Amino acid sequence: MLRSALLRVSRSHKIKNLVTAAPVTGGVVERFIAGETSANAVAVTRRLVGAGLLATIDFLGEDTTDPAQADAVVVAYLDLLTKLREAGFSQSAEVSIKVSALGLHLRDGPQIALENAELICRAARMADTAVTLDMEDHTITDSTLEILRTLRKEYPNTGAVLQAYLYRTELDCRDLAETGSRVRLCKGAYAEPESVAFQDRRQIDKSYVRCMKILMAGGGFPMLATHDPTLIEIGLKLANDYGRRPRDFEFQMLYGIRPTEQQRLAGLGHAVRVYVPYGTDWYGYLVRRLAERPSNLKFFMRSLVTKR
Ligand code: FDA
């Protein structure tokens, strides 16, 4: 499959260096990424909020291999949270973090990532907003959920992402569908083996529906992160079936993907949160967006060829 092949090849350092060195990728990068600085992210947030949308902001970076880099990620989030508070976006913007960016793969990684996440959660509390932990590949699902459990003791509004493509996710949804929890349900964006994840798109979609039912029936706050029109329709129906009003759950989509649909749902009175990534370390994020849609890849390849 093109998607998993692309995700696997993209792990090569040579390919990464080639792509990030090419000055020609700008147009493609800009479609999905808010810019390089926290000021860019805040400016995009201002535009989204002005259009009746909400935001969750991600400082790009993952798989940190150096403690100083993990510290720099924390500093970037503290700066971002200060700017969000100053701009008055506490009620409309939260932040998303990746435990691998916070040092999970370093020596004593789980403890380092937890401490770094705590610093960000504390700053988020001071800014009167919340943090959601992104979910990365399946090898760190357990550690991520363990960090979530610890964080939620002190910061109960910390959210988690669960990926419908993993066989385990229905059970994780049951565990987390409790009062006060916030769960962002997505299909999953990494190349995962058959031993842990559904490979067939229809099976992933069915799993997504089963997980939505669990979350909608539970006591937590479901965050339906998908652009899939069928799943959005089913989500609306389930919300109705389970007596959830428009503000008792939210839709979430990625910056640059289906903006008209984001506006349509917001126009119907639903909460729609846009995931806004910013920073210079955009490679891994961009590859996942290219892998999701072959036409993005064609556009990207064309931009490499035509601007050289
Ligand atoms: P699907 O891929 O079937 O797409 C449905 C339709 O949406 C497509 O037909 C197309 O119209 C549009 N679309 C989707 N992707 C597109 C793209 N890249 N370019 C252009 N159009 C596109 N994953 C993960 O593993 N861990 C995480 O923490 C997160 N976090 C996250 C947060 C939020 C807010 C969202 C919306 C998504 C994530 N994801 C994620 C990504 C997620 O797992 C998934 O890969 C993408 O959302 C695409 O899946 P869809 O559900 O949109 O369906």
Side-chain angles (χ1 to χ4, degrees), residues 152-173:
R152 286 194 65 217
K153 288 181 192 155
E154 178 63 28
Y155 305 98
N157 64 353
T158 307
V161 178
L162 294 179
Q163 299 150 316
Y165 63 16
L166 294 183
Y167 305 137
R168 60 177 287 166
T169 294
E170 257 185 271
L171 280 178
D172 289 331
C173 283

Side-chain angles (χ1 to χ4, degrees), residues 3 31-32 56 96-98 132-137 160-165 184-190 192 201 204-205 208 223-232 251-258 273-276 285-296:
R3 179 176 167 275
R31 176 179 167 196
F32 296 110
T56 181
S96 289
I97 62 177
K98 284 186 174 55
T132 298
L133 302 191
D134 282 342
M135 193 56 86
E136 303 172 70
D137 72 74
V161 178
L162 294 179
Q163 299 150 316
Y165 63 16
R184 172 181 297 160
L185 180 65
C186 67
K187 289 191 187 179
Y190 294 78
E192 297 291 16
R201 299 196 70 81
I204 297 172
D205 291 353
Y208 196 104
M223 306 187 280
L224 308 182
T226 181
H227 315 87
D228 185 326
T230 308
L231 294 180
I232 290 170
F251 289 106
Q252 299 193 342
M253 297 191 202
L254 301 175
Y255 178 68
I257 301 184
R258 301 200 72 203
R273 192 175 297 276
V274 180
Y275 186 100
V276 178
Y285 182 87
L286 179 72
V287 169
R288 290 193 288 280
R289 302 299 74 84
L290 296 178
E292 274 153 7
R293 244 193 149 195
S295 57
N296 290 347

Side-chain angles (χ1 to χ4, degrees), residues 52-244:
L53 301 165
L54 305 165
T56 181
I57 307 175
D58 165 43
F59 176 64
L60 289 162
E62 48 203 82
D63 297 334
T64 292
T65 51
D66 158 18
Q69 199 185 334
D71 292 345
V73 172
V74 176
V75 170
Y77 274 103
L78 301 192
D79 164 60
L80 171 67
L81 285 159
T82 304
K83 287 203 170 72
L84 289 176
R85 179 166 45 89
E86 286 169 357
F89 293 141
S90 299
Q91 299 309 308
S92 39
E94 54 139 62
V95 298
S96 289
I97 62 177
K98 284 186 174 55
V99 291
S100 83
L102 297 178
L104 188 77
H105 298 309
L106 300 173
R107 186 199 290 250
D108 298 325
Q111 188 56 28
I112 293 172
L114 172 63
E115 286 170 11
N116 284 336
E118 279 171 336
L119 291 173
I120 297 170
C121 286
R122 190 177 313 146
R125 174 179 284 171
M126 281 166 60
D128 200 14
T129 185
V131 173
T132 298
L133 302 191
D134 282 342
M135 193 56 86
E136 303 172 70
D137 72 74
H138 79 279
T139 61
I140 60 169
T141 307
D142 278 326
S143 336
T144 307
L145 291 177
E146 191 53 45
I147 289 174
L148 174 82
R149 266 188 286 278
T150 309
L151 289 173
R152 286 194 65 217
K153 288 181 192 155
E154 178 63 28
Y155 305 98
N157 64 353
T158 307
V161 178
L162 294 179
Q163 299 150 316
Y165 63 16
L166 294 183
Y167 305 137
R168 60 177 287 166
T169 294
E170 257 185 271
L171 280 178
D172 289 331
C173 283
R174 285 189 203 289
D175 274 356
L176 286 175
E178 62 187 14
T179 306
S181 84
R182 296 190 311 123
V183 177
R184 172 181 297 160
L185 180 65
C186 67
K187 289 191 187 179
Y190 294 78
E192 297 291 16
E194 208 172 343
S195 53
V196 299
F198 297 111
Q199 309 291 313
D200 176 71
R201 299 196 70 81
R202 274 165 314 174
Q203 283 186 309
I204 297 172
D205 291 353
K206 283 183 185 167
S207 167
Y208 196 104
V209 174
R210 289 194 296 275
C211 293
M212 262 199 292
K213 281 186 185 159
I214 296 167
L215 297 176
M216 286 288 188
F221 185 76
M223 306 187 280
L224 308 182
T226 181
H227 315 87
D228 185 326
T230 308
L231 294 180
I232 290 170
E233 276 315 304
I234 296 174
L236 286 168
K237 181 174 181 316
L238 287 174
N240 190 47
D241 292 350
Y242 287 102
R244 284 185 181 262

